[in-house]
Amino acid sequence: MTYHIPVLVLAASVAATAAWANEEPDPAAAEEAVTMETDKLVAGRRAGFWMSAGLFGSMNGVIKSGGEVKGLAFAARTLNGWATTMPGLFPEGSVNDRSNALPAVWDDREGFLATAKLYQERTAKLAELAAAGDQEGFATQWTVVRQTCSTCHDTYRKKRD
Ligand code: HEC
């Protein structure tokens, strides 16, 4: 089975190239969809989750060792970029044996998207606090983001052993 999903990265790069060339972006090109097999989509999605977890976990290392959070601004912005694009990687029925997504991702679409929105907003704030060099604020917000991971996993991801 294959899915047609809009690829934000593609659209963004089309827009960026057009801006660089000082031309109007071609809306048809930006809306073009690619076709992706379920197995590849799930593998890519899961790799993204693992990378985000690695990024997020390493932030905690900096917090614990009392390092400068200002240096985490790029990482936090990147996490926010993932939070923004991640819900688009769950087109209807995109599951296989390797996926840990629960049917609730699609059955309770509104709830899933609302939690993803919270994730996006909270990581945006995390990035702002990092850029501002707010050590204490960043540490507190990191915990808030972690709660968002758990909130979503409790309802939308299979339990892990
Ligand atoms: C809006 C919901 C949502 C949020 C927020 C979210 N996740 Fe997930 N996460 C999922 C779903 C659903 C999967 C399963 C995806 C699949 O296997 O198809 C998943 C999978 C993962 C995986 C892969 C391992 C596994 O057991 O499937 C890791 C690691 C992970 N998430 C970490 C995180 C971390 C860390 C955060 C927060 C910084 C986070 N996630 C935020 C929904 C979410």
Side-chain angles (χ1 to χ4, degrees):
M1 207 176 186
T2 56
Y3 297 93
H4 293 276
I5 55 164
V7 174
L8 296 175
V9 175
L10 174 69
S13 75
V14 168
T17 310
W20 178 74
N22 204 18
E23 284 168 12
E24 285 296 309
D26 176 1
E31 282 167 20
E32 215 168 89
V34 292
T35 303
M36 203 182 241
E37 291 162 30
T38 307
D39 289 353
K40 286 178 185 162
L41 173 57
V42 169
R45 180 167 84 199
R46 291 181 53 74
F49 273 114
W50 281 112
M51 278 195 281
S52 69
L55 205 57
F56 191 60
S58 61
M59 289 177 188
N60 195 30
V62 174
I63 292 169
K64 283 193 170 148
S65 65
E68 291 281 335
V69 301
K70 214 175 168 84
L72 295 176
F74 178 61
R77 276 203 308 277
T78 308
L79 188 67
N80 177 244
W82 164 248
T84 306
T85 51
M86 176 268 278
L89 299 176
F90 287 90
E92 185 70 38
S94 58
V95 272
N96 62 14
D97 291 350
R98 311 202 70 174
S99 172
N100 282 330
L102 286 174
V105 168
W106 298 279
D107 296 347
D108 174 23
R109 198 67 184 155
E110 246 174 65
F112 179 74
L113 293 178
T115 313
K117 182 112 204 308
L118 265 186
Y119 184 36
Q120 186 195 341
E121 288 165 1
R122 289 173 174 177
T123 49
K125 187 169 175 199
L126 189 71
E128 280 168 26
L129 291 163
D134 184 342
Q135 298 284 122
E136 213 172 295
F138 184 89
T140 306
Q141 188 65 14
W142 188 91
T143 310
V144 172
V145 173
R146 191 181 56 187
Q147 282 160 4
T148 319
C149 315
S150 307
T151 302
C152 193
H153 293 162
D154 284 350
T155 311
Y156 302 102
R157 193 184 74 175
K158 285 179 195 164
K159 298 278 166 286
R160 304 175 70 195
D161 301 326

